[in-house]
């Protein structure tokens, strides 16, 4: 393949470009720039002061439970800090197990998808029928495996149900959530107090 010759108009263009340019000194471009020596700070940082040793006697319980430190507050703790939205006297009776639920739903043996659908339908039907207090049975969940290195709470449904009850569309219907009294299932069940159907 033969080389193409440069046309006169291309040669003119090249001359115009090179007329305003300067030759590049390759030695300056590729020479490393001298580095300035690092300046030492005037003030030396203080070393970390030694932490005082904590005395520990044989047989004494640890002050900090590391296994629980990684876990968020339990559902019981979170529910107990919720403000009381319903009548306070009725709430006291509810906590003592004196109020009887109008209806109940047992979620044992359901997957999360099944339980979510069943819970949503049940709560909306209960409110449309004029029920005020319903009982949701989640179960306590499988016992903790002592050989499991990851800390976690028992019972997936037990953890999920209160969150579902606070989200739409159920959040607008539910007034109060509380763990059930021992006679209605204790820590394996929830009382759900519903708003009046308008």
């Amino acid at each position: 393949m033969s080389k193409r010759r440069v046309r006169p108009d291309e040669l003119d263009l090249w001359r115009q470009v090179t007329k305003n340019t300067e030759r590049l000194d390759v030695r300056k471009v590729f020479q490393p720039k001298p580095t300035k020596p690092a300046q030492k700070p005037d003030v030396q940082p203080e070393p970390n002061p030694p932490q005082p040793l904590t005395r520990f006697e044989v047989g004494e319980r640890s002050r900090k439970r590391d296994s629980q430190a990684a876990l968020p507050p339990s559902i019981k703790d979170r529910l107990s800090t919720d403000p009381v939205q319903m009548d306070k006297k009725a709430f006291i009776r509810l906590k003592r197990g004196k109020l009887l639920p109008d209806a109940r739903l047992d979620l044992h043996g359901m997957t999360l998808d099944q339980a979510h659908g069943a819970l949503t339908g049940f709560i909306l039907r209960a409110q449309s029928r004029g029920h005020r207090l319903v009982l949701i049975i989640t179960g306590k969940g499988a016992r903790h495996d002592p050989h499991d290195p990851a800390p976690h709470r028992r019972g997936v449904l037990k953890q999920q149900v209160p969150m579902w009850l606070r989200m739409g569309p159920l959040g607008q219907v539910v007034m109060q959530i509380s763990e059930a009294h021992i006679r209605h299932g204790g820590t394996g069940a929830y009382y759900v107090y519903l708003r009046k159907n308008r």
Side-chain angles (χ1 to χ4, degrees):
M1 185 184 224
S2 62
K3 290 187 175 181
R4 182 176 76 79
R5 293 188 65 125
V6 178
R7 295 191 314 241
D9 60 329
E10 293 173 334
L11 194 56
D12 285 340
L13 180 63
W14 178 249
R15 285 186 185 131
Q16 287 177 6
V17 169
T18 58
K19 195 188 312 180
N20 299 328
T21 59
E22 294 179 20
R23 187 174 192 79
L24 185 64
D25 189 358
V26 178
R27 290 174 295 178
K28 287 182 181 177
V29 173
F30 292 106
Q31 223 172 25
K33 292 181 180 178
T35 56
K36 294 180 182 178
Q39 295 179 352
K40 292 182 180 178
D42 295 338
V43 180
Q44 294 290 334
E46 292 182 19
N48 292 338
Q51 297 294 327
L53 295 175
T54 308
R55 292 196 49 83
F56 185 79
E57 300 293 331
V58 176
E60 182 182 6
R61 287 182 177 253
S62 172
R63 292 178 183 85
K64 185 168 75 173
R65 295 179 64 189
D66 291 334
S67 62
Q68 296 297 322
L71 293 175
S74 69
I75 294 289
K76 183 176 184 175
D77 293 339
R78 281 184 271 166
L79 291 177
S80 65
T81 58
D82 283 351
V84 177
Q85 301 288 330
M86 59 188 283
D87 178 61
K88 289 192 185 344
K89 287 182 183 177
F91 183 71
I92 291 169
R93 293 184 66 219
L94 173 80
K95 293 298 284 178
R96 292 180 180 164
K98 304 272 183 183
L99 294 179
L100 292 176
D102 300 319
R104 57 179 255 159
L105 173 68
D106 192 343
L107 300 174
H108 274 110
M110 293 188 188
T111 64
L112 282 173
D113 287 340
Q114 293 169 337
H116 192 206
L119 178 70
T120 303
F122 173 76
I123 294 292
L124 295 176
R125 281 191 305 274
Q127 193 212 23
S128 68
R129 292 177 184 155
H131 296 323
R132 295 303 305 277
L133 180 64
V134 294
L135 182 70
I136 309 296
I137 301 168
T138 61
K140 296 177 184 178
R143 296 214 175 271
H144 176 66
D145 180 4
H147 304 293
D148 187 358
H152 60 275
R153 302 260 183 230
R154 283 176 60 184
V156 178
L157 285 177
K158 181 174 172 50
Q159 303 298 316
Q160 287 295 122
V161 164
M163 289 192 293
W164 291 338
L165 291 169
R166 288 190 171 116
M167 295 187 316
L170 301 181
Q172 301 162 356
V173 175
V174 174
M175 184 182 283
Q176 193 81 45
I177 308 165
S178 175
E179 272 194 355
H181 188 271
I182 192 70
R183 73 178 68 170
H184 293 130
T187 58
Y190 294 107
Y191 292 129
V192 181
Y193 199 76
L194 305 176
R195 298 182 189 280
K196 284 184 180 176
N197 190 15
R198 296 173 196 247

